[in-house]
Amino acid sequence: MEGLLRFLVAKVIVLALASSFVSCYDPSPLQDFCVAVDDANGVFVNGKFCKDPKYVRAEDFFTSGLNIAGNTMNRVGSNVTNVNVDRIPGLNTLGVSLVRIDFAPGGQNPPHTHPRATEILVLVEGTLLVGFVTSNQDNNRLFSKVLYPGDVFVFPIGMIHFQVNVGRTNAVAFAGLGSQNPGTITIADAVFGSTPLIMPEILAKAFQLDVNVVRFLEGRFSSKYDRHY
């Protein structure tokens, strides 16, 4: 009896762990679609409320404009055009989204992470240096590659990654992400421009910098000026 009890407890633990791993990603839909609709009742859900299927139209699954280059006249020389559930309500619960990224020569999509999605990027124009850094347990290894038109690169979920235009002309890339709302945490903005600011002394020790350098950086990033996404 005791052996059977241990077996059942172990089985429950395994199933719980398995279900927790599955829930780390967008849940599978239980119907054909769940077109997002705003609701003013103040109830928060993991995703968005569903429109009554009787009122769903083709426009709920459509957007346009990705043929138009984004404005790269900003501090990092790039522009990210998001196509997520906020732009296409029909993406709700489908676990996928898309971005167009434009780069001026020398421009970059600075180091950032998507907490809820793996990203797969295809380069259409120009030349990009791309890469991601693994976790501390893997000794923060850098995987990097120079991409040319038609090349594809994958950034695993949660990994800090970047793209830099190393060519002499503009570059254009498109990327698919495995979430309707993948989220973006830009490392420099988050660390030096949080609200409220992290104490300069903490960052000075963490980055091994003079505290006055940290105060300067927080002054630069806390204004949130000229952000491109």
Side-chain angles (χ1 to χ4, degrees):
M1 184 70 179
E2 183 178 352
L4 177 61
L5 180 61
R6 289 178 179 176
F7 171 77
L8 291 175
V9 170
K11 189 171 183 179
V12 169
I13 292 173
V14 169
L15 289 173
L17 289 172
S19 64
S20 68
F21 294 151
V22 170
S23 65
C24 289
Y25 303 92
D26 288 359
S28 298
L30 299 179
Q31 61 249 3
D32 288 346
F33 48 76
C34 173
V35 174
V37 61
D38 292 329
D39 193 291
N41 66 9
V43 178
F44 179 82
V45 296
N46 186 21
K48 292 181 178 291
F49 291 98
C50 301
K51 178 187 287 189
D52 188 325
K54 295 193 299 290
Y55 302 114
V56 171
R57 304 175 301 159
E59 285 74 15
D60 291 319
F61 302 94
F62 171 82
T63 191
S64 61
L66 284 188
N67 59 316
I68 301 172
N71 182 7
T72 59
M73 298 293 291
N74 52 59
R75 61 184 171 94
V76 294
S78 71
N79 184 285
V80 178
T81 303
N82 288 292
V83 182
N84 54 25
V85 67
D86 293 324
R87 186 161 173 177
I88 301 182
L91 285 176
N92 193 39
T93 76
L94 298 186
V96 67
S97 58
L98 177 73
V99 297
R100 170 181 172 143
I101 316 174
D102 290 277
F103 302 84
Q108 65 173 267
N109 192 7
H112 62 283
T113 179
H114 302 295
R116 295 181 289 276
T118 291
E119 175 180 347
I120 182 168
L121 178 144
V122 57
L123 182 62
V124 177
E125 299 177 17
T127 308
L128 290 182
L129 171 66
V130 305
F132 68 87
V133 178
T134 61
S135 61
N136 295 356
Q137 289 85 348
D138 195 46
N139 298 315
N140 302 123
R141 288 192 295 161
L142 171 65
F143 291 83
S144 185
K145 189 81 173 174
V146 175
L147 304 185
Y148 302 95
D151 289 348
V152 176
F153 197 84
V154 174
F155 306 98
I157 185 172
M159 298 292 100
I160 295 174
H161 59 284
F162 61 87
Q163 301 105 25
V164 182
N165 184 357
V166 293
R168 297 182 179 180
T169 61
N170 292 336
V172 180
F174 289 87
L177 298 110
S179 171
Q180 67 185 41
N181 185 22
T184 300
I185 302 172
T186 305
I187 306 307
D189 289 338
V191 172
F192 296 108
S194 63
T195 304
L197 292 173
I198 299 173
M199 291 177 57
E201 294 77 11
I202 295 175
L203 296 180
K205 188 167 186 177
F207 287 92
Q208 296 296 287
L209 295 173
D210 185 273
V211 69
N212 291 319
V213 174
V214 173
R215 290 194 179 101
F216 170 78
L217 291 172
E218 288 189 328
R220 295 280 289 180
F221 286 94
S222 63
S223 62
K224 306 291 193 294
Y225 70 95
D226 203 22
R227 289 197 174 190
H228 65 302
Y229 60 90

